[in-house]
Amino acid sequence: MTVTEEAPGHVGSRRLRKEDPALLTGEAKFIDDLALPGAIWVGVVRSTEAHAHIVGIDGSAALAIDGVNEVLSGEDLAPLWGEGALPCAWPVTPDMKSPAHLPVARGTAKYVGDAVAVVLADSRYAAADGAAAVVVDYEPLPAVVEIEDAVADGAPLVHADLDSNECYTWGLWGDNAPAIDAAFAEAAHVVSERYLQQRLIPAPMEPRGCAAVPSPAGGELTLYSATQIPHILKVMTAVVLGIGENKLRVVAPSVGGGFGCKLNVYAEEILCSALAMQRGAPVRWTEGRAEAAVSTIQGRGQVQHIELAADADGKVTAVRVKLLADMGAYLQLVTPGVPLLGGFLYHGCYDIPNYMFECTSVFTNRTPTDAYRGAGRPEATYAVERAMDALAESVGVSPEEIRARNFIGADAFPYESAAGLVFDSGDYQAVLDKAVALADVDGRRAEQAQRRASGSSKRIGVGFSSYVEMCGLAPSRVLASLDYGAGGWEAATVRISPTCKVQVVTGSTPHGQGHETCWSMIVADQLGVDPDDVEVLHSDTAVSPTGLDTYGSRSLAVGGTAVYMATEKVIDKARAIAAHQLEASEDDLEFSGGVFRVRGTPDAEVPLAGIAFAAFTAHDLPDGMEPNLEAHVTYDPPNFTFPNGTHIATVEVDTDTGDVDLIDYVAVDDCGVQINPLVVEGQVHGGILQGAAQALYEDAVYNSDGQLVSANLGDYLVPSAAEAPRYRLDSHATPSPTNPMGVKGVGEAGTIAAAPAVINAVVDALRDLGVTDVAMPASPQTVWRAIADAQGGAS
Amino acid sequence: MIPAAFDYEVAESADHAISLLGERGDDAKLLAGGHSLIPMMRYRLATPSVLVDVGRLDELRYIRTGNGTVSIGALTRHSELEHSAALAEACPMLASVAALVGDPAVRHRGTLGGTIAHADPASDLPAAVLALGGTIVAQGSGGSREIAATDFFTGYFESVLADDEMIIEVRVPSGSGGWNYQKFNRRAQDWAIVGVAVAGGGSGVSLVNMGSTPIRASGVEAALAGGASAAEAAAAAADGLEPPDDLNADAEYRSHLARVLTERALNAAGVA
């Protein structure tokens, strides 16, 4: 066998991550690792009531503790921010209600976890002791806990100054309402389903924390925070506190995961910044794990009504969705927009001509919600994929057949959806076919039938989830049309040093994704250098002043594209120098493997290293050319990207106990061109487990008083590696035409796909027992009850 | 997640630990592996004024067999039970149950004496010792005494141990007989939602997390002794019990699980 030797590119290879040695050896520095001698430690006193007047705050016992220096109420702190509120950047409608949101409440506490006072102390331990010793006198008020109760007649008001608990109603149907009504009137099959998206606690490995450090002179402030968004945080902190942006620097040190919950501007960041400026001393706070359950945003929290109209063959003619979404007590940075991110996708990957989406968002006396891995898209995918299975059952065809009859065709791209998006590329049927073969669906079905026939208590179920998501957030003009308060571009700078080492400065902000590795691979291939000769700088506004950070699977499609384009600009400049040196026309030069060559002229070549040094010395550059090899690009994407895939979950359900065992999980994803399949697989593995966690384990349970009952990791069941299924992955790339590398994004795909695949599998396992729905999370007790109810009462 | 302030004393011997307990009164707690106590302290559910660390008393880390009895030092780690060839031979049930406690980190720190003294009705090993008909040897200022496991547990996290007593040794009879342990939980690392331990071919049956203490399933044992089948006996597993309600399971579902798991455990232990 002969092997053709070609210079192998780095892109597409399973290169180990350059981030990992520091993480694995403990060398990486997280927020709580920062040594800040003389810092004031903040302890936050949090409301134990869901809704109550704050009658009095007694700090005397706290002040008696050694090391506790001050106890400050919301009233005491008000001069730091006046009426200034924590920011919400997404007023989705002109009449959206946006209640004033202070870092520390004044007068009324509105959810369990609401900050009502702070303790300033010499150490983290004293701060915790002090916060525990502050006595708050509450006069309880009626609380609104569940979503539907918020809009019931006579519901108590979360905000007494508003006339209802409704935050906004946002719709997407244009003038299509008559056509939708007609579609339902003429339908041979109508599916009408109601699903609950339970609240989830993001629970990244590292909780939040921040430290604000003022300069001894000059009025500058550096804010360190375990955040996904140093750039956005900088702008918002400057605006809220009136600090000049030129005086403010924000640094995200190593950040241990975020999943969206660190895409925010939090009370503690504003509090520490304001106190540091006032006191002229470092002020810091580190979140505790139990504290995080109530003080960091939660995800999901929706009641979904979805209806499908279909003809006799099961071809869907219309989808109609009405959503109730739980904002919690206040609006955080992008709280109101989360349901909208799903609002365009309730038709899933299907060609459905008539589309109606309406979301009413409500306030409740619970921790605010906001973006959590997938942010609106997992919810949309869940609803449509569950409803498609219900339709398959109604029509009497298999789940894969109902999908095949409705997929957007591979020849239909670019495809303009009824919701108004233009899908970039895909071959949904090919993806599904691959998944069906890999999952051995026929074999599983035979086993399922055999077990049913034998009366086995161990039932087999196979569940499908075909998804499409929008990421690569986002074209700035589209964000403008959605009333989002910022753009969606990303910035990059690429510099080549005199010795031909490469410095990449990215506005993307990694917190576990592997940007340093992937950006290095991209640039190394473009320039013909070793990836280890590329450094990637990020997450510090003094080093990377321009950026819009990391969320919504945008880093590669937007930030990576900016890096790619900046590198191309550097190559263009290098080519001009090479042409000058070789006395050739630029058009006659080719560049590969780090060398410029004159086509057809052997030996007429110059390596990039030589050009880098020449650009540095500037002794002999073309007339008028600036020295040095450096380029900056700010890339505003022309469209979203649309990753897609089909996931198939296989479960074994013990009908005696209700226990669900996820015995196999197949995922075939189209995330476009893969830079590093190892990184892609890591994202897909973690994403699937996070989605399966919603399906089977995780639930932020509130009791009727508004107390979070599942507030610790013993009761809030984040699955571990032991619960992970056997993953079997494949891919089917259709390069995105939207960007030059053809990439789409993969950070959320697994989470978006997994929950409906798992629940569809559970329902499939139990369908012959009469079970048509199982609520999330499908705990053993919930499944056992569903079986018992379907069988006509408790066993 | 920051515990309240506490003093810390290192015990040089069991006698030293007992004398420290005597001096510091009922606010003192023994610290062994710490994997139950320290989380409770972090949540401030426990706020002892002093911890007496007995974790370095290596003289209480042993597994001895002979004369029909297995004697295990109180500071023996779960992982040592799990991997002991001698225990696998003499009391395979205890070795097997130890392997199901928590996760590897917990098993490398947690101790047999610690988990029994903690008296958590949801823990695995106390129920196993109960089903095996074990004996707990406790030492206090007044000397040592032997306590039958059936007499040891008195309530939720409560036992007959006096404030100045510590467990020195745990004894179980050699040979587990026909045995099985069914642990039902949602995550591998969790406590049992319900567990069932069967030893001696059904002569000892105990339940995990079905009341305020680890419980002998006396109704099941009596039915079996009266000649009932496994299925008939298992039907009595939850009779007369008041199982807890929590997020994983309400009392009705727990009772159902106890019946299902008892039948499975009996069958696996060779009881038809």
Side-chain angles (χ1 to χ4, degrees):
Chain A
M1 194 170 104
T2 53
V3 177
T4 308
E5 291 231 1
E6 279 184 66
H10 299 288
V11 167
S13 70
R14 304 172 65 85
R15 190 178 179 84
L16 293 178
R17 304 198 324 165
K18 60 164 71 174
E19 291 88 343
D20 289 339
L23 292 168
L24 293 172
T25 58
E27 187 189 322
K29 292 283 179 262
F30 294 84
I31 187 78
D32 202 51
D33 294 323
L34 297 181
L36 295 171
I40 297 168
W41 281 87
V42 170
V44 181
V45 181
R46 300 195 178 276
S47 177
T48 55
E49 297 289 326
H51 197 191
H53 286 312
I54 302 163
V55 179
I57 291 172
D58 179 357
S60 55
L63 290 168
I65 295 169
D66 192 30
V68 175
N69 302 316
E70 293 178 67
V71 175
L72 301 169
S73 68
E75 303 293 337
D76 298 331
L77 292 162
L80 290 175
W81 41 70
E83 300 303 315
L86 290 172
C88 172
W90 203 338
V92 297
T93 63
D95 61 349
M96 182 186 86
K97 290 167 187 161
S98 190
H101 186 190
L102 296 174
V104 179
R106 296 171 69 180
T108 308
K110 296 191 174 175
Y111 63 95
V112 171
D114 207 356
V116 297
V118 300
V119 170
L120 305 186
D122 294 336
S123 70
R124 190 176 173 208
Y125 290 89
D129 289 346
V134 172
V135 178
V136 183
D137 185 12
Y138 295 105
E139 181 187 312
L141 296 166
V144 178
V145 182
E146 297 302 327
I147 302 174
E148 286 165 318
D149 292 344
V151 288
D153 286 343
L157 293 176
V158 176
H159 299 284
D161 53 335
L162 304 179
D163 57 8
S164 83
N165 293 319
E166 190 179 320
C167 175
Y168 69 84
T169 293
W170 186 91
L172 190 66
W173 62 85
D175 52 5
N176 209 19
I180 291 166
D181 290 343
F184 276 93
E186 294 161 10
H189 298 274
V190 172
V191 166
S192 180
E193 302 283 311
R194 175 180 181 274
Y195 302 122
L196 299 179
Q197 294 283 333
Q198 78 270 33
R199 277 177 168 246
L200 301 176
I201 296 171
M205 188 93 72
E206 181 206 23
R208 292 188 296 121
C210 59
V213 183
S215 65
E220 287 104 3
L221 183 76
T222 300
L223 173 60
Y224 299 89
S225 183
T227 182
Q228 296 174 222
I229 54 162
H231 298 93
I232 296 171
L233 179 59
K234 177 182 168 178
V235 176
M236 291 296 178
T237 303
V239 170
V240 169
L241 292 178
I243 303 171
E245 270 195 85
N246 54 326
K247 300 282 190 182
L248 187 60
R249 172 184 173 200
V250 176
V251 182
S254 288
V255 175
F259 309 119
C261 81
K262 294 174 181 169
L263 189 199
N264 230 305
V265 177
Y266 279 104
E268 297 83 2
E269 292 165 330
I270 299 301
L271 173 72
C272 289
S273 297
L275 280 171
M277 295 292 278
Q278 184 193 53
R279 306 301 171 97
V283 179
R284 70 188 303 179
W285 168 79
T286 297
E287 188 178 53
R289 178 61 71 186
E291 184 178 29
V294 291
S295 68
T296 290
I297 65 94
Q298 297 177 1
R300 317 286 187 255
Q302 296 182 354
V303 178
Q304 306 173 296
H305 293 268
I306 182 167
E307 294 173 291
L308 302 179
D311 67 18
D313 295 328
K315 178 80 184 74
V316 183
T317 53
V319 57
R320 185 159 62 191
V321 174
K322 289 202 173 187
L323 208 64
L324 274 178
D326 185 358
M327 305 284 95
Y330 292 103
L331 304 180
Q332 284 280 353
L333 191 63
V334 298
T335 303
V338 170
L340 276 58
L341 290 172
F344 292 90
L345 291 171
Y346 277 85
H347 59 74
C349 36
Y350 310 111
D351 178 24
I352 301 177
N354 298 298
Y355 188 79
M356 175 177 169
F357 171 84
E358 183 182 271
C359 173
T360 295
S361 289
V362 301
F363 295 109
T364 60
N365 290 110
R366 300 198 281 193
T367 295
T369 60
D370 206 314
Y372 173 57
R373 201 170 189 176
R377 290 156 290 169
E379 297 95 313
T381 303
Y382 183 84
V384 68
E385 287 304 284
R386 293 291 321 280
M388 288 301 280
D389 265 25
L391 177 62
E393 187 66 11
S394 176
V395 176
V397 299
S398 67
E400 58 270 36
E401 177 61 24
I402 201 75
R403 286 167 174 77
R405 291 183 188 183
N406 286 283
F407 275 147
I408 296 164
D411 57 356
F413 295 94
Y415 171 83
E416 186 168 355
S417 78
L421 298 175
V422 178
F423 287 22
D424 53 359
S425 63
D427 186 345
Y428 302 159
Q429 186 64 50
V431 167
L432 180 134
D433 290 343
K434 244 184 193 177
V436 166
L438 190 56
D440 184 23
V441 169
D442 290 343
R444 293 293 191 186
R445 291 228 172 95
E447 192 179 356
Q448 178 187 61
Q450 185 270 323
R451 295 215 193 169
R452 282 178 179 169
S454 71
S456 169
S457 62
K458 299 287 181 67
R459 298 299 176 104
I460 296 288
V462 181
F464 284 71
S465 171
S466 296
Y467 74 95
V468 61
E469 56 154 327
M470 53 196 268
C471 56
L473 273 59
S476 296
R477 287 183 177 183
V478 174
L479 292 176
S481 73
L482 296 172
D483 298 303
Y484 179 65
W489 45 262
E490 194 50 88
T493 301
V494 173
R495 301 185 181 107
I496 301 181
S497 75
T499 59
C500 205
K501 305 301 182 189
V502 184
Q503 187 176 66
V504 175
V505 181
T506 179
S508 258
T509 306
H511 42 282
Q513 291 85 352
H515 289 50
E516 292 177 22
T517 302
C518 294
W519 282 200
S520 297
M521 292 167 71
I522 293 167
V523 172
D525 274 6
Q526 287 177 278
L527 296 177
V529 302
D530 190 303
D532 287 338
D533 285 340
V534 182
E535 69 171 328
V536 179
L537 304 180
H538 55 80
S539 305
D540 178 347
T541 62
V543 173
S544 158
T546 310
L548 283 173
D549 306 313
T550 287
Y551 44 86
S553 304
R554 70 188 300 271
S555 287
L556 179 58
V558 189
T561 298
V563 168
Y564 178 91
M565 293 171 71
T567 306
E568 289 296 299
K569 268 175 97 167
V570 168
I571 293 170
D572 287 345
K573 182 170 181 179
R575 181 179 288 109
I577 299 170
H580 177 72
Q581 290 189 353
L582 295 168
E583 296 180 338
S585 161
E586 285 184 43
D587 294 339
D588 292 336
L589 293 186
E590 61 180 21
F591 180 59
S592 71
V595 180
F596 286 97
R597 293 184 182 83
V598 182
R599 277 191 207 91
T601 310
D603 302 332
E605 63 178 46
V606 56
L608 183 64
I611 294 171
F613 194 70
F616 166 71
T617 64
H619 291 171
D620 182 21
L621 295 178
D623 290 345
M625 178 180 279
E626 290 181 19
N628 286 319
L629 288 178
E630 173 174 338
H632 180 82
V633 163
T634 304
Y635 169 68
D636 198 346
N639 190 8
F640 297 95
T641 57
F642 294 86
N644 61 86
T646 288
H647 290 203
I648 301 177
T650 304
V651 298
E652 185 180 76
V653 182
D654 182 337
T655 57
D656 289 336
T657 63
D659 191 37
V660 175
D661 190 3
L662 187 51
I663 58 176
D664 190 29
Y665 197 101
V666 163
V668 179
D669 293 296
D670 173 5
C671 63
V673 172
Q674 298 188 9
I675 303 302
N676 184 333
L678 196 65
V679 169
V680 169
E681 287 167 19
Q683 286 280 14
V684 173
H685 286 173
I688 289 168
L689 191 59
Q690 219 154 3
Q694 180 177 13
L696 296 176
Y697 298 105
E698 298 185 17
D699 192 3
V701 180
Y702 282 82
N703 69 14
S704 59
D705 295 329
Q707 298 288 336
L708 178 65
V709 185
S710 57
N712 64 63
L713 294 181
D715 289 324
Y716 186 82
L717 305 183
V718 177
S720 72
E723 283 69 54
R726 178 174 65 143
Y727 300 109
R728 296 191 297 139
L729 310 186
D730 201 350
S731 61
H732 186 91
T734 61
S736 174
T738 301
N739 56 66
M741 289 187 289
V743 298
K744 293 183 177 178
V746 76
E748 297 157 297
T751 309
I752 288 167
V758 172
I759 297 295
N760 279 339
V762 173
V763 172
D764 182 60
L766 303 175
R767 186 170 282 115
D768 71 311
L769 299 175
V771 173
T772 57
D773 189 24
V774 176
M776 297 191 291
S779 71
Q781 176 172 272
T782 297
V783 172
W784 176 72
R785 284 247 151 72
I787 296 167
D789 290 347
Q791 298 283 297
S795 68
Chain B
M1 300 302 284
I2 302 274
F6 58 90
D7 293 335
Y8 174 79
E9 301 272 6
V10 176
E12 308 292 340
S13 66
D15 286 341
H16 184 213
I18 290 158
S19 95
L20 286 168
L21 288 176
E23 285 168 25
R24 301 298 295 256
D26 62 0
D27 275 347
K29 289 288 279 183
L30 293 180
L31 175 69
H35 274 55
S36 296
L37 178 59
I38 288 176
M40 293 178 77
M41 292 171 64
R42 285 179 166 275
Y43 282 105
R44 301 193 176 213
L45 297 171
T47 53
S49 62
V50 57
L51 291 183
V52 177
D53 188 347
V54 295
R56 300 175 198 186
L57 300 183
D58 285 344
E59 62 270 29
L60 295 182
R61 291 172 74 174
Y62 56 82
I63 299 169
R64 296 173 189 146
T65 60
N67 298 327
T69 300
V70 184
S71 302
I72 303 167
L75 271 299
T76 308
R77 314 264 177 199
H78 305 330
S79 60
E80 292 164 344
L81 302 179
E82 177 182 358
H83 295 114
S84 161
L87 192 65
E89 174 79 23
C91 187
M93 174 167 169
L94 206 56
S96 173
V97 173
L100 296 176
V101 177
D103 55 28
V106 168
R107 295 196 289 274
H108 277 85
R109 294 296 303 163
T111 66
L112 182 60
T115 187
I116 289 175
H118 191 59
D120 184 342
S123 287
D124 305 295
L125 286 164
V129 171
L130 197 57
L132 286 163
T135 301
I136 287 102
V137 182
Q139 187 175 324
S141 53
S144 69
R145 59 174 175 147
E146 295 178 12
I147 307 160
T150 45
D151 298 330
F152 185 81
F153 305 102
T154 57
Y156 196 58
F157 296 107
E158 288 179 359
S159 71
V160 297
L161 279 184
D163 287 341
D164 68 346
E165 273 185 315
M166 71 175 280
I167 297 175
I168 297 298
E169 187 175 276
V170 177
R171 295 177 192 156
V172 293
S174 289
S176 304
W179 65 271
N180 185 252
Y181 183 64
Q182 295 282 321
K183 179 173 184 174
F184 189 83
N185 60 11
R186 292 172 67 184
R187 296 182 302 183
Q189 67 197 22
D190 285 332
W191 284 274
I193 295 170
V194 174
V196 180
V198 171
S203 64
V205 180
S206 66
L207 301 171
V208 178
N209 214 3
M210 282 295 290
S212 60
T213 67
I215 298 168
R216 280 289 279 259
S218 50
V220 177
E221 293 172 359
L224 289 172
S229 68
E232 290 162 350
D239 289 359
L241 301 183
E242 292 181 15
D245 270 316
D246 60 29
L247 291 175
N248 285 317
D250 60 22
E252 181 195 13
Y253 176 60
R254 268 208 165 77
S255 297
H256 170 77
L257 280 180
R259 293 187 285 268
V260 170
L261 299 175
T262 297
E263 184 174 351
R264 288 181 182 179
L266 288 171
N267 290 335
V271 183

